């Protein structure tokens, strides 16, 4: 059609060109004129073909999108609708379909990502969630799933923090510091057994950790018994505080103050902190007030105020109270879950009418015919004679003729018979598919239809200035007629389910009735009201209402209308079947779930009922530049002499304090010197020192080891031919690139008589380790052969390493050197 039209257009243009060219004598001008028209013709042809082609291409994509949508393939539908919308962005139906399918396509990718994540494929799941966020950037559930998947994959993407509002609070406020945090020099585990005054116990712990201990002037100490085994500094302080009825607070990073645990002293000693919390999700005044009431009840903070205009809460309390308040605010300041509910209202009405048979005449009328009299009148004229008949009638019957009536005097009227062969089938379908988006526990309402006025009452005004007012005023109330839906969702985040409290009504004006002179509408309705719990994406059939009417009527002669074959000749049967069915379908989709993290669900220790006090975990590694230590610490118990210098060649002098049970010797602790406090043991008679004879031989058992990469293995350091051995400090050398020393444990040689042995080790550099095994003071020496200590290594990388003893300074009980010959072992990591 387009080609024929263009050919006729070209012929018309050429004819017009020839007619115009005849007016010119120059043939060249005619040729140039013909060329110009050919150019215009080609341009018009290209433009005419291009525009319908573009329009047909967009419509083709739109039709393909409709087919994909009918198959519930939302990803393909979104792609086709997007292409149609890109070709014709001004077409409203293309834009509507594109926006509608965008949400559904993003939800489909989120569901596929959740399935992949449950199967363990985190990379593909993350790709699906990112694709969903790319399709629908407003999808909060896609962003939440991305974050959860990244946390599970231990590959968190750094997120830029929200810009903070910097205000000038003055020089004093700018230089103000936060509450002090205790940073001990040593964070190694502590083992302590003491029966001492509480001040002495606090002082001993402080020296072990390298912190200063201050006491409140009003503090009265008491004697306590402490038995601690391999616990952190914080745990040791908490145990002593609990047993001595005291509490401690950091004053500086390396100083604490100890006071009696009374309400007055806590008020006097406890520092206070002021902090402002800005709420990002709770905005209503009642919501902010609920958070304030929670903090006052749980955290027992009295100085707290809410600022609804700023969505903020200002708190003043102890550092532990404010820290606990911050956790509660983070737990409660969560975005409300959000749900989209797809609702389908489908109504089908069908009416079948069947009318078969012959309707015979059922009545007959007989009436007497009127008497008819006929006369003739003749008139003569000059041109001829005219005859005119005259007819007269009467409704009367004389008595003379009553006896002579015949069938000709009566008129019988019989109606005609009607043959009925009628079949009618009408089908009506009404489908409505609205969507409702609602917040958790917030009512959402959808109304589609009309507001119909209904009279609710009438009144007549009183007597006026002139007389009685004849007018009557009628009051009306408007009723919503159509589709009315009320939905209140409740999202269960942990189970991925939604509870819906729904009221759904479909109504219409079926007829009208006159009441009191007012035409009132009769409203027919179908209503469903209930509460259900569904899984996300689960389809629920709320109510299927089926109404069926069957009407049968027979019109004919009695008895004959009931004969099986003759009934169709002497009767007419009318059968009408009317069905009306309405179905409500719900499909909930969670578009934003409650972001509950592991930190929100984790319980924390907040102290006793008398005071809020958070329990701090032991820090990992040392502080203040000290080396990281993972070994127990050692110190002397009361009544024992100082640790010999051979064990601690570089340690400062021992500090001595007086106690009720005697003298307590606590050596100062350096960052690299662990300590353990052990109970006093009766000193046996020292064995005589023997420094002559053949030297003892130190060796490794086994001498050759071949572990695999990533495995752990143990090597014993043994001694053969030792005589009166009391202390064994050695320096070990190994390849730190291939091996890592994990632990040093006591052997059976120095403790074979039941005496406890102190094991101290520290790292002097990469591949150098100082290890010392010492018996208790006054316990004498040990002779013979056995394992001094056991080394536990981890094979880090493949290679060959020589494990050797570079220095050995064995001592007897009198601190005299004992001759030893060091050995070595070969470690080959495969």
């Amino acid at each position: 059609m387009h080609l024929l039209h263009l050919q006729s257009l070209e012929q018309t243009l050429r004819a017009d060109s020839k007619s115009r060219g005849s007016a010119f004598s120059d043939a060249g001008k005619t040729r140039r004129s013909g060329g110009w028209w050919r150019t215009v013709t080609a341009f018009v042809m290209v433009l005419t073909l291009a525009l319908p082609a573009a329009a047909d291409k967009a419509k083709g994509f739109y039709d393909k999108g409709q087919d994909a949508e009918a198959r519930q393939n939302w990803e393909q539908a979104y792609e086709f609708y997007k292409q149609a919308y890109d070709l014709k962005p001004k077409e409203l139906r293309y834009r509507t379909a594109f926006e509608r399918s965008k949400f559904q396509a993003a939800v489909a990718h989120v569901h596929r990502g959740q399935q992949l994540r449950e199967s363990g494929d985190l990379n593909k799941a993350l790709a699906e969630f990112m694709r969903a966020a790319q399709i629908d950037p407003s999808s909060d559930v896609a962003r939440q799933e991305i974050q959860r998947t990244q946390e599970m994959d231990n590959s968190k993407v750094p997120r830029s923090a929200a810009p903070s509002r910097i205000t000038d609070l003055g020089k004093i406020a700018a230089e103000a510091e936060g509450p002090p945090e205790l940073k001990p020099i040593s964070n190694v585990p502590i083992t302590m057994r003491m029966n001492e005054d509480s001040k002495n116990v606090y002082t001993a712990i402080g020296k072990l950790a390298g912190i200063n201990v201050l006491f409140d002037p009003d503090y009265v100490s008491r004697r306590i018994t402490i038995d601690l085994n391999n616990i952190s500094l914080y745990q040791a302080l908490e145990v002593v505080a609990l047993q001595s009825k005291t509490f401690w607070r950091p004053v500086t990073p390396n100083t604490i103050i100890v006071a009696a645990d009374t309400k007055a002293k806590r008020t006097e000693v406890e520092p206070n902190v002021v902090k402002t919390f800005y709420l990002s999700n709770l905005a209503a005044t009642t919501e902010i007030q609920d958070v304030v009431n929670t903090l006052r009840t749980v955290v027992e903070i009295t100085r707290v105020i809410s600022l609804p205009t700023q969505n903020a809460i200002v708190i003043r309390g102890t550092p532990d109270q404010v820290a606990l308040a911050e956790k509660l605010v983070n737990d409660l300041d969560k975005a409300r879950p959000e749900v989209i509910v797809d609702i389908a209202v489908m109504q089908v009405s069908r009416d079948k009418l069947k009318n078969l048979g012959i309707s015979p005449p059922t009545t007959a009328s007989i009436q007497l015919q009127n008497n008819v009299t006929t006369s003739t009148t003749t008139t003569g004229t000059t041109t001829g004679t005219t005859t005119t008949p005259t007819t007269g009638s009467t409704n009367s019957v004389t008595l003379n003729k009553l006896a002579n009536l015949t069938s000709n005097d009566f008129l019988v009227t019989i109606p005609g018979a009607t043959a009925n062969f009628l079949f009618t089938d009408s089908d009506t379908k009404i489908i409505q598919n609205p969507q409702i988006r609602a917040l958790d526990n917030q009512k959402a309402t959808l109304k589609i239809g009309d507001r119909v006025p209904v009279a609710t009452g009438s009144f007549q005004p009183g007597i006026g200035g002139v007389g009685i007012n004849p007018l009557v005023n009628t009051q009306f109330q408007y009723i919503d007629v159509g589709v009315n839906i009320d939905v209140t969702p409740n999202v269960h985040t942990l189970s991925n389910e939604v509870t819906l409290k729904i009221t759904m009504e479909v109504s219409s004006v079926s007829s009208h009735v006159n009441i009191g002179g007012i035409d009132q509408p009769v409203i027919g309705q179908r209503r469903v009201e209930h509460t259900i719990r569904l899984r996300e994406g689960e389809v629920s059939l709320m109510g299927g209402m089926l109404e069926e009417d069957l009407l049968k009527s027979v019109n004919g002669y009695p008895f004959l209308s009931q004969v099986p074959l003759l009934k169709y000749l002497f009767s007419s049967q009318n059968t009408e079947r009317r069905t009306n069915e309405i179905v409500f379908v719900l499909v909930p989709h969670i578009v934003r779930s409650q972001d509950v993290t592991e930190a929100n669900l984790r319980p924390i220790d907040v102290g006793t009922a008398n005071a809020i006090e958070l329990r701090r975990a032991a820090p990992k590694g040392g502080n203040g530049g000290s080396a990281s230590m993972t070994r127990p610490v050692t110190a002397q118990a009361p009544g024992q002499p100082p640790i010999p210098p051979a064990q601690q060649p570089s340690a400062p002098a021992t500090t001595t304090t007086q106690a009720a049970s005697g003298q307590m010797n606590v050596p100062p602790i350096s960052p690299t010197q662990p300590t353990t406090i052990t109970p006093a043991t009766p000193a046996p008679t020292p064995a005589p020192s023997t420094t002559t004879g053949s030297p003892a031989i130190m060796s490794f058992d086994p001498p050759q080891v071949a572990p695999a990469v990533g495995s752990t293995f143990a090597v014993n350091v043994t001694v053969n031919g030792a005589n009166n051995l009391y202390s064994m400090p050695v320096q070990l050398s190994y390849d730190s690139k291939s091996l890592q020393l994990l632990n040093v444990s006591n052997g059976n040689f120095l403790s074979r008589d039941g005496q406890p042995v102190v094991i101290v080790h520290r790292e002097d550099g990469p591949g150098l380790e100082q290890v010392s095994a010492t018996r208790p003071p006054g316990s004498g020496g040990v002779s013979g052969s056995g394992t001094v200590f056991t080394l536990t290594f981890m094979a880090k990388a493949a290679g060959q390493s020589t494990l050797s003893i570079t220095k050995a300074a064995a001592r007897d009980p009198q601190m005299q050197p004992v001759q030893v010959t060091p050995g070595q072992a070969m470690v080959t990591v495969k």
Side-chain angles (χ1 to χ4, degrees):
M1 292 296 293
H2 291 294
L3 182 61
L4 295 176
H5 176 70
L6 291 175
Q7 290 178 352
S8 61
L9 178 62
E10 183 179 5
Q11 293 176 0
T12 304
L13 292 175
R14 288 185 176 181
D16 184 60
S17 174
K18 291 180 179 179
S19 63
R20 293 190 179 187
S22 61
F24 300 94
S25 58
D26 193 353
K29 293 182 179 180
T30 304
R31 286 194 297 272
R32 287 193 297 270
S33 176
W36 181 81
W37 282 108
R38 283 195 297 272
T39 302
V40 173
T41 303
F43 176 75
V44 172
M45 183 181 299
V46 172
L47 185 63
T48 307
L49 289 175
L51 291 178
D56 293 340
K57 191 174 182 180
K59 187 177 184 303
F61 285 130
Y62 178 75
D63 294 338
K64 292 180 180 179
Q66 285 185 321
D67 294 339
E69 182 179 355
R71 296 190 300 271
Q72 298 294 314
N73 192 342
W74 291 105
E75 293 97 322
Q76 288 187 2
Y78 166 75
E79 295 295 338
F80 288 132
Y81 286 147
K82 185 177 184 301
Q83 296 181 50
Y85 174 68
D86 292 340
L87 291 175
K88 298 192 69 176
K90 294 184 178 180
E91 184 67 33
L92 184 59
R93 59 174 179 169
Y94 296 165
R95 180 178 179 180
T96 303
F98 166 69
E99 296 292 342
R100 183 181 67 252
S101 63
K102 180 169 66 174
F103 166 76
Q104 296 289 354
V107 169
H109 281 286
V110 169
H111 288 174
R112 188 177 296 111
Q114 291 173 343
Q115 295 175 355
L116 290 171
R117 187 176 60 189
E118 292 177 358
S119 63
D121 197 342
L122 299 182
N123 293 330
K124 291 184 179 179
L126 185 61
E128 291 291 340
F129 295 141
M130 289 184 173
R131 177 57 179 162
Q134 181 183 4
I135 292 176
D136 188 5
S138 63
S139 177
D140 293 317
V141 68
R143 290 196 296 269
Q144 292 175 355
E145 295 296 344
I146 289 174
Q147 181 180 356
R148 292 173 184 170
T149 307
Q150 288 172 344
E151 292 175 354
M152 293 174 63
D153 197 23
N154 293 328
S155 57
K156 299 180 182 179
V157 177
R159 296 174 295 176
S160 58
S164 59
R165 182 180 179 184
I166 302 176
T167 58
D168 185 9
L169 300 178
K171 183 178 180 181
I172 298 178
E175 296 178 354
E177 297 181 353
E181 181 181 357
L182 185 61
K183 297 181 179 179
I185 296 177
S186 175
N187 289 321
V188 297
I190 297 175
T191 298
M192 174 182 291
R193 294 174 179 87
M194 298 181 66
N195 183 8
E196 267 296 335
D197 188 271
S198 58
K199 283 189 177 182
N200 295 335
V201 176
Y202 271 118
T203 303
I205 294 177
K207 290 184 179 296
L208 292 177
I211 61 175
N212 304 317
V213 181
L214 304 179
F215 294 95
D216 182 71
D218 300 331
Y219 173 66
V220 178
S221 62
R222 52 186 296 185
R223 191 179 186 85
I224 59 175
T225 300
I226 296 297
D227 189 356
L228 308 177
N229 186 19
N230 197 25
I231 63 175
S232 66
L233 169 65
Y234 290 101
Q235 293 171 344
L237 292 176
E238 294 299 334
V239 170
V240 175
L242 181 63
Q243 201 161 359
S244 62
K245 304 297 181 182
T246 58
F247 75 96
W248 60 272
R249 285 293 176 265
V251 180
T252 65
N254 64 340
T255 305
I256 65 172
I257 184 171
V258 180
D261 191 6
T262 61
K263 186 175 181 180
K265 281 300 177 183
R266 284 187 174 273
T267 305
E268 180 182 345
V269 176
E270 288 270 20
N272 271 224
V273 178
V274 176
K275 187 170 182 179
T276 302
F277 299 96
Y278 290 93
L279 306 177
S280 56
N281 297 295
L282 304 179
T285 304
T286 55
E287 295 174 343
I288 299 177
Q289 190 60 39
D290 289 342
V291 176
V292 172
N293 296 337
T294 301
L295 296 179
R296 288 175 177 170
T297 304
V298 177
V299 190
E300 298 179 353
I301 297 180
T302 58
R303 300 178 181 179
V304 54
I305 187 173
S306 63
L307 300 174
T309 56
Q310 299 294 327
N311 283 350
I313 297 175
V314 181
I315 297 176
R316 177 184 174 182
T318 65
D320 288 346
Q321 286 178 323
V322 175
L324 180 58
E326 183 172 2
K327 180 191 183 304
L328 293 179
V329 169
N330 292 334
D331 293 343
L332 300 177
D333 187 20
K334 299 288 186 180
R336 283 192 175 185
E338 202 165 350
V339 180
I340 283 184
V341 182
D342 286 331
I343 301 175
V345 181
M346 296 173 285
Q347 183 176 1
V348 179
S349 300
R350 193 167 188 177
D351 190 355
K352 288 185 178 181
L353 176 63
K354 183 172 63 175
N355 192 352
L356 299 176
I358 298 177
S359 299
T362 57
T363 59
S365 60
I366 301 175
Q367 61 181 358
L368 187 65
Q369 292 196 60
N370 296 327
N371 293 327
V372 179
T373 303
T374 303
S375 60
T376 303
T377 304
T378 303
T379 306
T381 60
T382 56
T383 59
T385 303
T386 302
T387 302
T388 303
T390 302
T391 303
S393 62
T394 178
N395 291 328
S396 59
V397 178
T398 61
L399 292 176
N400 294 330
K401 291 186 176 182
L402 184 59
N404 298 322
L405 291 178
T406 63
S407 60
N408 295 330
D409 297 321
F410 295 94
L411 178 63
V412 179
T413 302
I414 300 176
T418 304
N420 298 317
F421 299 96
L422 178 63
F423 179 78
T424 303
D425 188 356
S426 61
D427 195 351
T428 303
K429 296 181 180 179
I430 301 176
I431 300 178
Q432 295 177 337
N433 189 16
Q435 281 187 344
I436 297 179
R437 183 164 181 167
L439 289 174
D440 184 41
N441 290 326
Q442 294 294 316
K443 181 180 178 181
T445 301
L446 175 65
K447 297 182 183 296
I448 303 175
D450 302 323
R451 292 176 62 84
V452 178
V454 176
T456 58
S458 60
F459 67 95
Q460 185 175 9
I463 300 176
V466 179
I468 298 177
N469 191 347
L471 299 179
V472 176
N473 294 331
T474 303
Q475 297 175 343
F476 289 90
Q477 179 182 358
Y478 285 86
I479 298 177
D480 295 314
V481 176
V483 178
N484 303 318
I485 302 172
D486 293 333
V487 178
T488 304
N490 185 10
V491 181
H492 309 282
T493 303
L494 299 180
S495 60
N496 203 28
E497 295 181 344
V498 182
T499 297
L500 298 175
K501 183 179 180 181
I502 300 174
T503 301
M504 182 176 295
E505 177 185 292
V506 178
S507 58
S508 62
V509 178
S510 58
S511 61
H512 290 78
V513 60
N514 190 288
I515 301 176
I518 300 176
D519 192 18
Q520 294 277 55
V522 177
I523 300 175
Q525 66 175 359
R526 294 171 177 84
R527 183 183 179 92
V528 175
E529 182 175 357
H530 62 176
T531 301
I532 57 176
R533 181 165 178 167
L534 303 173
R535 293 189 302 272
E536 201 276 339
E538 182 181 358
V539 179
S540 172
L541 182 66
M542 287 186 57
M545 302 178 185
L546 178 62
E547 180 183 354
E548 184 174 357
D549 296 334
L550 181 61
L551 303 176
K552 286 186 177 181
S553 61
V554 179
N555 185 16
Y557 294 143
F559 306 112
L560 294 177
S561 61
Q562 298 177 357
V563 178
L565 296 179
L566 298 180
K567 65 180 180 179
Y568 295 106
L569 298 177
F570 296 98
S571 66
S572 176
Q573 294 184 357
N574 189 351
T575 304
E576 183 177 4
R577 183 186 300 273
R578 290 179 296 184
T579 59
N580 190 6
E581 183 177 7
I582 185 169
V583 177
F584 303 97
V585 178
L586 291 181
V587 183
H589 299 287
I590 300 176
V591 296
R592 181 190 292 115
S593 60
Q594 192 174 12
D595 190 11
V596 179
T597 62
E598 184 179 356
N600 302 137
L601 301 176
R602 181 176 63 90
I604 60 175
D605 186 0
V606 296
T608 63
N610 296 329
I612 299 294
E613 189 173 4
L614 300 182
R615 312 296 181 184
R616 292 168 176 80
K620 297 181 180 180
N623 293 304
S626 62
S628 176
M629 297 181 236
T630 58
R631 46 202 176 264
V633 205
T634 302
Q636 283 305 108
Q640 294 183 0
I643 296 177
Q647 178 184 346
Q648 300 174 357
S650 59
T654 303
T655 302
T656 304
T657 59
Q658 297 296 327
S661 62
Q663 211 175 26
M664 182 182 71
N665 303 300
V666 182
I669 300 301
S670 66
T672 58
Q673 180 183 349
T675 316
T676 298
I677 296 180
T678 55
T681 305
T685 303
S689 175
T690 302
T691 59
T692 61
S694 60
I697 299 175
M698 297 195 67
S699 60
F700 294 96
D701 182 27
Q704 294 183 355
V705 187
V709 175
S711 64
T712 59
F713 62 96
V715 178
N716 297 323
V717 179
T718 62
V719 62
N720 295 320
N723 188 11
N724 200 21
L725 184 62
Y726 172 81
S727 175
M728 178 63 75
V730 297
Q731 185 182 53
L732 300 175
S733 174
Y734 58 92
D735 186 4
S736 60
K737 296 181 180 179
S738 301
L739 303 178
Q740 179 182 354
L741 181 61
L742 299 179
N743 187 34
V744 179
S745 58
N746 182 33
N748 58 1
F749 180 67
L750 294 179
S751 59
R752 60 176 49 182
D753 58 350
Q755 295 293 332
V757 176
V758 176
I759 301 295
V760 178
H761 66 100
R762 70 171 183 268
E763 183 180 359
D764 288 346
L768 291 177
E769 191 79 10
Q770 285 279 12
V771 181
S772 176
T774 305
R775 289 169 58 85
S779 60
V782 179
S783 300
S785 302
T787 301
V788 181
F789 39 76
T790 302
L791 308 175
T792 303
F793 290 91
M794 183 182 71
K796 295 169 51 178
Q800 194 172 21
S801 174
T802 301
L803 178 61
S804 61
I805 300 176
T806 58
K807 294 181 182 180
R811 302 285 177 173
D812 61 9
Q814 285 74 35
M815 297 295 107
Q816 297 299 320
V818 178
Q819 295 183 5
V820 293
T821 301
Q824 63 181 14
M826 186 64 64
V827 180
T828 304
V829 180
K830 298 180 180 180

